[in-house]
Amino acid sequence: MDGLTTAKADLTVYVHPSKSNKLADAVRKQLSSLLFTYDELFDGVLLSHKISFQSNHAKILHGLIPYFGVKVRAKLLIFSPKPNMLLEGKVVKLSKESIHVIVLGFTSAAIMSEDIREEFKYKIKHGAGCFASSSHKWHRIKVGSMVQFAVKSVDEEIGHISGSLIPPQTGCVHWLLKHSADAVSQTNRSLKRCRD
């Protein structure tokens, strides 16, 4: 899935003097407060961090409350979706007008009817709605399906993604994996015949 990146960063974390006896916990708590929210510094949403201390020395900041700065090296996992990237998510709600998806368990995405390819028709099967492909009988999108979609736009403030199922490499992940595996095996068979 696009949009996930790892980064190494040298950071200075500012800690209150009352937390100096449990410094590692204080630093982790400070960085954990940034988890699952958009941060301009990282240009994305911080999903996880692993820290190591660079030295035993800290720089004291003078002022009303003398915080001290601790230098740490951190490995970060950042979610930073951009337009035209391919993302995967689980369908949680489906109607004739839209498909609502949860990406990585915390970010919502909406795919509106004008962003769904014409081959997908909304149908009601066994009392539940689904989008079924008119080109491929078993290509269906229903509640609980994992879908791969293209990013149209991202609203960082509220953490909402607008998606699209127009590109051909989008749709139900299960069907896409099986379909691409069939295409690869057919290509391998034809290459083997050519060599023989």
Coordinates of all heavy atoms in Angstrom, one line a residue, residues 56-133:
N56 N 23.6 11.2 27.5 CA 23.0 11.3 28.8 C 22.9 12.8 29.2 O 22.5 13.0 30.3 CB 24.0 10.6 29.8 CG 24.0 9.1 29.6 OD1 23.0 8.5 29.1 ND2 25.1 8.5 29.9
H57 N 23.2 13.7 28.3 CA 23.2 15.1 28.7 C 21.9 15.7 28.1 O 21.4 15.3 27.1 CB 24.4 15.8 28.1 CG 25.7 15.2 28.5 ND1 26.2 15.3 29.8 CD2 26.6 14.5 27.8 CE1 27.3 14.7 29.9 NE2 27.6 14.1 28.7
A58 N 21.4 16.7 28.9 CA 20.2 17.5 28.5 C 20.5 19.0 28.6 O 21.3 19.4 29.4 CB 19.0 17.1 29.3
K59 N 19.8 19.7 27.7 CA 20.0 21.2 27.8 C 18.8 21.8 28.5 O 17.7 21.6 28.1 CB 20.1 21.7 26.3 CG 20.3 23.2 26.2 CD 20.4 23.6 24.8 CE 20.6 25.1 24.7 NZ 20.7 25.6 23.4
I60 N 19.1 22.6 29.5 CA 18.1 23.2 30.3 C 17.7 24.5 29.6 O 18.5 25.4 29.3 CB 18.6 23.5 31.8 CG1 18.9 22.2 32.4 CG2 17.5 24.3 32.5 CD1 19.5 22.3 33.8
L61 N 16.4 24.7 29.5 CA 15.8 26.0 28.9 C 15.4 26.9 30.1 O 14.7 26.5 31.0 CB 14.6 25.7 28.1 CG 14.8 24.7 26.9 CD1 13.5 24.4 26.3 CD2 15.7 25.4 25.9
H62 N 15.9 28.1 30.1 CA 15.6 29.0 31.2 C 14.3 29.7 30.9 O 14.0 30.0 29.8 CB 16.8 30.0 31.3 CG 18.1 29.4 31.7 ND1 18.3 28.9 32.9 CD2 19.2 29.1 30.9 CE1 19.5 28.3 32.9 NE2 20.1 28.5 31.7
G63 N 13.6 30.0 32.0 CA 12.3 30.6 31.8 C 11.5 30.4 33.1 O 12.0 30.1 34.2
L64 N 10.2 30.6 33.0 CA 9.3 30.4 34.2 C 9.4 29.0 34.7 O 9.4 28.7 35.9 CB 7.9 30.9 33.9 CG 7.7 32.3 33.6 CD1 6.3 32.6 33.2 CD2 8.0 33.1 34.9
I65 N 9.3 28.0 33.7 CA 9.3 26.6 34.1 C 10.5 26.1 33.3 O 10.5 26.0 32.1 CB 8.0 25.9 33.7 CG1 6.9 26.5 34.4 CG2 8.2 24.4 34.0 CD1 5.5 25.9 34.0
P66 N 11.6 25.7 33.9 CA 12.8 25.3 33.2 C 12.7 23.9 32.7 O 13.2 22.9 33.3 CB 13.9 25.4 34.3 CG 13.2 25.2 35.6 CD 11.8 25.7 35.4
Y67 N 12.1 23.7 31.5 CA 12.1 22.4 30.8 C 13.5 22.1 30.4 O 14.3 23.0 30.3 CB 11.2 22.5 29.6 CG 9.7 22.4 29.9 CD1 9.0 23.4 30.4 CD2 9.1 21.1 29.7 CE1 7.6 23.3 30.6 CE2 7.7 21.0 30.0 CZ 7.0 22.1 30.4 OH 5.7 22.0 30.7
F68 N 13.8 20.8 30.2 CA 15.1 20.5 29.6 C 14.8 19.6 28.3 O 13.9 18.9 28.2 CB 16.0 19.8 30.6 CG 15.4 18.5 31.2 CD1 15.7 17.3 30.6 CD2 14.6 18.5 32.3 CE1 15.3 16.1 31.2 CE2 14.1 17.4 32.9 CZ 14.4 16.2 32.3
G69 N 15.7 19.9 27.4 CA 15.6 19.2 26.1 C 16.5 18.0 26.0 O 17.7 18.0 26.3
V70 N 15.9 16.8 25.6 CA 16.6 15.6 25.5 C 16.7 15.2 24.1 O 15.7 15.2 23.4 CB 15.8 14.5 26.3 CG1 16.5 13.1 26.2 CG2 15.6 14.9 27.7
K71 N 17.9 14.9 23.6 CA 18.1 14.5 22.2 C 17.9 13.0 22.1 O 18.5 12.3 22.8 CB 19.5 14.9 21.7 CG 19.7 16.4 21.6 CD 21.0 16.8 20.9 CE 21.2 18.2 20.8 NZ 20.3 18.9 19.9
V72 N 17.0 12.7 21.1 CA 16.7 11.3 20.8 C 16.8 11.0 19.3 O 16.6 11.9 18.5 CB 15.3 10.8 21.4 CG1 15.3 10.9 22.9 CG2 14.2 11.6 20.7
R73 N 17.1 9.8 19.0 CA 17.0 9.4 17.6 C 15.8 8.4 17.5 O 15.7 7.5 18.3 CB 18.3 8.6 17.2 CG 18.2 8.1 15.8 CD 19.5 7.8 15.2 NE 20.1 9.0 14.8 CZ 21.4 9.2 14.7 NH1 22.3 8.3 15.0 NH2 21.9 10.4 14.3
A74 N 14.9 8.7 16.6 CA 13.7 8.0 16.5 C 13.5 7.3 15.1 O 13.8 7.9 14.1 CB 12.5 8.9 16.8
K75 N 13.0 6.1 15.1 CA 12.5 5.5 13.9 C 11.0 5.7 13.9 O 10.3 5.3 14.8 CB 12.8 4.0 13.9 CG 14.2 3.6 13.6 CD 14.3 2.1 13.5 CE 15.7 1.7 13.2 NZ 15.8 0.2 13.2
L76 N 10.5 6.3 12.8 CA 9.1 6.6 12.7 C 8.4 5.9 11.6 O 9.0 5.7 10.5 CB 8.9 8.1 12.5 CG 9.7 9.0 13.5 CD1 9.7 10.5 13.0 CD2 9.2 8.9 14.9
L77 N 7.1 5.6 11.8 CA 6.3 5.1 10.7 C 5.2 6.1 10.5 O 4.5 6.5 11.4 CB 5.6 3.7 11.1 CG 4.6 3.1 10.1 CD1 5.4 2.8 8.8 CD2 4.0 1.9 10.7
I78 N 5.2 6.7 9.3 CA 4.3 7.8 9.0 C 3.4 7.4 7.8 O 3.8 6.8 6.8 CB 5.2 9.0 8.5 CG1 6.1 9.4 9.7 CG2 4.3 10.2 8.1 CD1 7.2 10.4 9.3
F79 N 2.1 7.8 8.0 CA 1.1 7.6 7.0 C 0.8 9.0 6.3 O 0.4 9.9 7.0 CB -0.2 7.1 7.6 CG -1.3 6.9 6.6 CD1 -1.2 6.1 5.5 CD2 -2.5 7.6 6.8 CE1 -2.2 5.9 4.6 CE2 -3.6 7.4 5.9 CZ -3.4 6.5 4.8
S80 N 1.2 9.1 5.1 CA 1.1 10.4 4.4 C 0.5 10.2 3.0 O 1.2 10.1 2.0 CB 2.5 11.0 4.3 OG 2.4 12.3 3.7
P81 N -0.8 10.0 2.9 CA -1.4 9.8 1.6 C -1.4 11.1 0.7 O -1.6 12.2 1.2 CB -2.8 9.4 1.9 CG -3.1 10.0 3.2 CD -1.8 10.1 4.0
K82 N -1.2 10.9 -0.6 CA -1.2 12.0 -1.5 C -2.0 11.6 -2.7 O -2.3 10.4 -3.0 CB 0.3 12.2 -2.1 CG 1.3 12.5 -1.0 CD 1.2 13.9 -0.5 CE 2.3 14.3 0.5 NZ 1.8 14.7 1.8
P83 N -2.5 12.6 -3.5 CA -3.4 12.2 -4.7 C -2.7 11.3 -5.6 O -1.5 11.3 -5.8 CB -3.6 13.6 -5.3 CG -3.5 14.6 -4.2 CD -2.4 14.0 -3.3
N84 N -3.5 10.4 -6.2 CA -3.1 9.3 -7.1 C -2.4 8.1 -6.5 O -2.0 7.2 -7.2 CB -2.2 9.9 -8.3 CG -3.0 10.9 -9.1 OD1 -4.2 10.8 -9.3 ND2 -2.3 12.0 -9.4
M85 N -2.2 8.1 -5.2 CA -1.6 6.9 -4.5 C -2.7 5.9 -4.4 O -3.9 6.2 -4.4 CB -1.1 7.3 -3.1 CG 0.1 8.0 -3.0 SD 0.6 8.2 -1.3 CE 2.3 8.8 -1.5
L86 N -2.3 4.6 -4.3 CA -3.3 3.5 -4.1 C -3.3 3.1 -2.6 O -2.2 2.8 -2.1 CB -2.9 2.3 -5.0 CG -3.1 2.5 -6.5 CD1 -2.6 1.2 -7.2 CD2 -4.5 2.7 -6.8
L87 N -4.5 3.1 -2.0 CA -4.6 2.7 -0.6 C -5.6 1.6 -0.6 O -6.4 1.3 -1.5 CB -5.2 3.9 0.2 CG -4.4 5.2 0.3 CD1 -5.1 6.2 1.1 CD2 -3.0 4.9 0.8
E88 N -5.5 0.9 0.6 CA -6.5 -0.2 0.8 C -7.2 0.1 2.1 O -6.7 0.6 3.0 CB -5.7 -1.5 1.0 CG -5.1 -2.0 -0.3 CD -4.2 -3.3 -0.1 OE1 -4.3 -3.9 1.0 OE2 -3.5 -3.6 -1.0
G89 N -8.5 -0.3 2.1 CA -9.3 -0.2 3.3 C -10.5 -1.1 3.4 O -10.8 -1.8 2.4
K90 N -11.1 -1.2 4.5 CA -12.3 -2.1 4.7 C -13.6 -1.3 4.5 O -13.7 -0.2 5.2 CB -12.2 -2.7 6.1 CG -13.2 -3.7 6.3 CD -13.0 -4.4 7.7 CE -14.0 -5.6 7.9 NZ -13.7 -6.3 9.1
V91 N -14.5 -1.8 3.7 CA -15.8 -1.2 3.5 C -16.6 -1.3 4.8 O -16.8 -2.4 5.3 CB -16.5 -1.8 2.3 CG1 -17.9 -1.2 2.1 CG2 -15.7 -1.6 1.0
V92 N -17.1 -0.2 5.3 CA -17.9 -0.2 6.5 C -19.4 0.2 6.3 O -20.2 -0.1 7.1 CB -17.3 0.6 7.7 CG1 -16.0 0.0 8.2 CG2 -17.1 2.1 7.2
K93 N -19.6 0.9 5.2 CA -20.9 1.3 4.8 C -21.0 1.5 3.3 O -20.1 1.9 2.7 CB -21.2 2.7 5.5 CG -22.6 3.1 5.3 CD -22.9 4.5 6.0 CE -24.2 5.0 5.8 NZ -24.4 6.3 6.3
L94 N -22.2 1.1 2.8 CA -22.3 1.1 1.3 C -23.7 1.5 1.0 O -24.7 1.1 1.6 CB -22.0 -0.3 0.8 CG -21.9 -0.6 -0.6 CD1 -20.6 -1.4 -0.8 CD2 -23.0 -1.4 -1.1
S95 N -23.9 2.4 0.0 CA -25.2 2.8 -0.5 C -25.1 3.0 -2.0 O -24.0 3.0 -2.5 CB -25.7 4.1 0.2 OG -24.9 5.2 -0.2
K96 N -26.2 3.3 -2.6 CA -26.2 3.6 -4.0 C -25.3 4.8 -4.4 O -24.7 4.8 -5.5 CB -27.6 3.8 -4.5 CG -27.8 3.8 -6.0 CD -29.3 3.9 -6.4 CE -29.4 3.7 -7.9 NZ -30.8 3.7 -8.3
E97 N -25.2 5.8 -3.5 CA -24.5 7.0 -3.7 C -23.0 7.0 -3.3 O -22.2 7.8 -3.8 CB -25.1 8.2 -3.0 CG -26.5 8.5 -3.5 CD -27.6 7.6 -3.0 OE1 -27.4 7.2 -1.8 OE2 -28.6 7.4 -3.7
S98 N -22.6 6.0 -2.4 CA -21.2 6.1 -1.9 C -20.8 4.8 -1.3 O -21.6 3.9 -0.9 CB -21.1 7.2 -0.9 OG -22.0 6.9 0.2
I99 N -19.5 4.7 -1.2 CA -18.8 3.6 -0.4 C -18.0 4.2 0.6 O -17.1 5.1 0.3 CB -17.9 2.7 -1.4 CG1 -18.8 2.1 -2.5 CG2 -17.2 1.6 -0.6 CD1 -18.0 1.4 -3.5
H100 N -18.1 3.8 1.9 CA -17.4 4.4 3.0 C -16.4 3.3 3.5 O -16.7 2.2 3.7 CB -18.3 4.9 4.1 CG -19.2 6.0 3.7 ND1 -18.8 7.3 3.8 CD2 -20.4 6.0 3.1 CE1 -19.7 8.1 3.3 NE2 -20.7 7.3 2.9
V101 N -15.1 3.7 3.6 CA -14.0 2.8 3.9 C -13.2 3.3 5.1 O -13.1 4.5 5.3 CB -13.1 2.8 2.7 CG1 -11.9 1.9 2.9 CG2 -13.9 2.3 1.4
I102 N -12.7 2.4 5.9 CA -11.8 2.7 7.0 C -10.4 2.2 6.6 O -10.2 1.1 6.2 CB -12.2 2.1 8.3 CG1 -13.5 2.6 8.8 CG2 -11.1 2.3 9.4 CD1 -13.5 4.1 9.3
V103 N -9.4 3.1 6.6 CA -8.0 2.8 6.2 C -7.2 2.7 7.4 O -7.2 3.6 8.3 CB -7.5 3.9 5.2 CG1 -6.0 3.6 4.8 CG2 -8.4 4.1 4.0
L104 N -6.5 1.6 7.6 CA -5.6 1.4 8.7 C -6.3 1.5 10.1 O -5.6 1.7 11.1 CB -4.4 2.3 8.7 CG -3.4 2.2 7.5 CD1 -2.4 3.2 7.5 CD2 -2.8 0.8 7.5
G105 N -7.6 1.3 10.1 CA -8.3 1.3 11.3 C -8.6 2.6 12.0 O -9.2 2.7 13.0
F106 N -8.1 3.7 11.4 CA -8.4 5.0 12.0 C -8.8 6.2 11.1 O -9.3 7.2 11.5 CB -7.1 5.5 12.8 CG -6.0 6.0 12.0 CD1 -5.8 7.3 11.7 CD2 -5.1 5.1 11.4 CE1 -4.8 7.8 10.9 CE2 -4.1 5.5 10.6 CZ -3.9 6.9 10.4
T107 N -8.5 6.1 9.8 CA -8.8 7.1 8.8 C -10.0 6.7 8.0 O -10.0 5.6 7.5 CB -7.6 7.4 8.0 OG1 -6.7 8.2 8.7 CG2 -7.9 8.2 6.8
S108 N -10.9 7.7 7.8 CA -12.1 7.4 6.9 C -11.9 7.9 5.5 O -11.2 8.9 5.3 CB -13.3 8.0 7.5 OG -13.2 9.4 7.5
A109 N -12.5 7.2 4.6 CA -12.4 7.5 3.2 C -13.8 7.4 2.6 O -14.5 6.5 3.0 CB -11.4 6.7 2.4
A110 N -14.1 8.2 1.6 CA -15.4 8.1 1.0 C -15.2 8.1 -0.5 O -14.4 8.9 -1.1 CB -16.3 9.3 1.3
I111 N -15.9 7.2 -1.2 CA -15.9 7.1 -2.6 C -17.3 7.3 -3.1 O -18.2 6.5 -2.9 CB -15.4 5.7 -3.1 CG1 -14.0 5.4 -2.5 CG2 -15.3 5.6 -4.6 CD1 -13.6 3.9 -2.5
M112 N -17.5 8.5 -3.8 CA -18.8 8.9 -4.2 C -19.2 8.2 -5.5 O -18.3 7.7 -6.2 CB -18.9 10.4 -4.3 CG -18.5 11.1 -3.0 SD -19.2 10.5 -1.5 CE -20.9 11.1 -1.7
S113 N -20.4 8.2 -5.9 CA -20.9 7.5 -7.0 C -20.3 7.9 -8.3 O -20.0 7.1 -9.2 CB -22.5 7.6 -7.1 OG -22.8 8.9 -7.3
E114 N -20.0 9.2 -8.5 CA -19.3 9.7 -9.7 C -17.9 9.3 -9.8 O -17.3 9.4 -10.9 CB -19.4 11.3 -9.8 CG -18.7 12.0 -8.7 CD -19.6 12.3 -7.5 OE1 -20.7 11.8 -7.4 OE2 -19.2 13.1 -6.7
D115 N -17.3 8.7 -8.7 CA -15.9 8.2 -8.7 C -15.9 6.7 -8.8 O -14.8 6.1 -8.5 CB -15.2 8.7 -7.5 CG -15.1 10.3 -7.5 OD1 -14.7 10.8 -8.6 OD2 -15.3 10.9 -6.5
I116 N -17.0 6.1 -9.1 CA -17.0 4.6 -9.2 C -17.2 4.3 -10.7 O -18.1 4.8 -11.4 CB -18.2 4.0 -8.4 CG1 -18.0 4.4 -6.9 CG2 -18.3 2.5 -8.6 CD1 -19.2 4.0 -6.0
R117 N -16.3 3.4 -11.2 CA -16.4 3.0 -12.7 C -17.8 2.6 -13.0 O -18.5 1.9 -12.2 CB -15.4 1.9 -13.1 CG -14.2 1.8 -12.7 CD -13.3 0.9 -13.5 NE -13.2 -0.5 -13.0 CZ -12.5 -0.8 -11.9 NH1 -11.8 0.1 -11.3 NH2 -12.4 -2.0 -11.5
E118 N -18.2 2.8 -14.3 CA -19.5 2.4 -14.8 C -19.8 0.9 -14.8 O -20.9 0.5 -14.7 CB -19.7 3.0 -16.2 CG -19.9 4.5 -16.2 CD -20.2 5.0 -17.5 OE1 -20.7 4.2 -18.4 OE2 -20.1 6.3 -17.7
E119 N -18.7 0.1 -14.8 CA -18.9 -1.3 -14.8 C -19.5 -1.8 -13.5 O -20.1 -2.8 -13.4 CB -17.6 -2.1 -15.1 CG -16.7 -2.2 -13.9 CD -15.5 -3.1 -14.2 OE1 -14.5 -2.6 -14.7 OE2 -15.5 -4.2 -13.8
F120 N -19.3 -1.0 -12.4 CA -19.9 -1.4 -11.1 C -21.3 -0.9 -11.0 O -21.6 0.3 -11.0 CB -19.1 -0.9 -9.9 CG -17.8 -1.6 -9.7 CD1 -16.6 -1.0 -10.1 CD2 -17.8 -2.9 -9.2 CE1 -15.4 -1.7 -9.9 CE2 -16.6 -3.6 -9.0 CZ -15.4 -3.0 -9.4
K121 N -22.3 -1.8 -10.8 CA -23.7 -1.5 -10.7 C -24.1 -1.8 -9.3 O -23.8 -2.9 -8.7 CB -24.5 -2.2 -11.7 CG -24.1 -2.1 -13.1 CD -24.3 -0.7 -13.6 CE -23.9 -0.6 -15.1 NZ -23.6 0.8 -15.5
Y122 N -24.9 -0.9 -8.7 CA -25.4 -1.2 -7.3 C -26.6 -2.2 -7.4 O -27.5 -2.0 -8.2 CB -25.9 0.1 -6.7 CG -26.4 -0.1 -5.3 CD1 -25.5 -0.2 -4.2 CD2 -27.7 -0.1 -5.0 CE1 -25.9 -0.4 -2.9 CE2 -28.2 -0.3 -3.7 CZ -27.3 -0.4 -2.7 OH -27.7 -0.6 -1.4
K123 N -26.5 -3.2 -6.6 CA -27.5 -4.3 -6.6 C -27.8 -4.7 -5.1 O -26.9 -4.5 -4.3 CB -27.1 -5.5 -7.4 CG -26.8 -5.3 -8.8 CD -26.4 -6.5 -9.5 CE -26.2 -6.3 -11.0 NZ -25.8 -7.4 -11.7
I124 N -28.9 -5.2 -4.9 CA -29.2 -5.8 -3.6 C -29.3 -7.3 -3.7 O -30.1 -7.9 -4.5 CB -30.5 -5.2 -3.0 CG1 -30.4 -3.7 -2.8 CG2 -30.9 -5.9 -1.8 CD1 -31.6 -3.0 -2.3
K125 N -28.3 -8.0 -3.0 CA -28.2 -9.4 -3.1 C -28.4 -9.9 -1.6 O -27.7 -9.5 -0.7 CB -26.8 -9.8 -3.6 CG -26.5 -9.4 -5.0 CD -26.7 -10.6 -5.9 CE -26.3 -10.2 -7.3 NZ -26.6 -11.1 -8.3
H126 N -29.3 -10.9 -1.5 CA -29.6 -11.5 -0.2 C -29.9 -10.5 0.9 O -29.4 -10.6 2.0 CB -28.4 -12.4 0.2 CG -28.0 -13.4 -0.8 ND1 -28.8 -14.4 -1.2 CD2 -26.9 -13.5 -1.6 CE1 -28.2 -15.1 -2.2 NE2 -27.0 -14.6 -2.4
G127 N -30.6 -9.4 0.5 CA -31.0 -8.4 1.5 C -29.9 -7.3 1.8 O -30.2 -6.4 2.6
A128 N -28.7 -7.4 1.2 CA -27.7 -6.4 1.5 C -27.2 -5.8 0.1 O -27.2 -6.5 -0.9 CB -26.5 -7.1 2.2
G129 N -26.9 -4.6 0.2 CA -26.4 -3.9 -1.0 C -25.0 -4.3 -1.4 O -24.2 -4.6 -0.5
C130 N -24.6 -4.2 -2.7 CA -23.3 -4.4 -3.1 C -23.1 -3.8 -4.5 O -24.1 -3.5 -5.2 CB -22.9 -5.9 -3.2 SG -23.7 -6.8 -4.6
F131 N -21.8 -3.5 -4.8 CA -21.5 -3.1 -6.2 C -20.9 -4.3 -6.9 O -19.9 -4.8 -6.5 CB -20.5 -1.9 -6.1 CG -21.1 -0.6 -5.9 CD1 -21.2 -0.1 -4.6 CD2 -21.6 0.2 -6.9 CE1 -21.8 1.1 -4.3 CE2 -22.2 1.4 -6.7 CZ -22.3 1.9 -5.4
A132 N -21.6 -4.7 -8.0 CA -21.2 -5.9 -8.7 C -20.7 -5.4 -10.1 O -21.3 -4.5 -10.7 CB -22.3 -6.8 -8.9
S133 N -19.6 -6.0 -10.6 CA -19.1 -5.6 -11.9 C -19.9 -6.3 -13.0 O -20.2 -7.5 -12.9 CB -17.6 -6.1 -12.0 OG -17.1 -6.0 -13.3

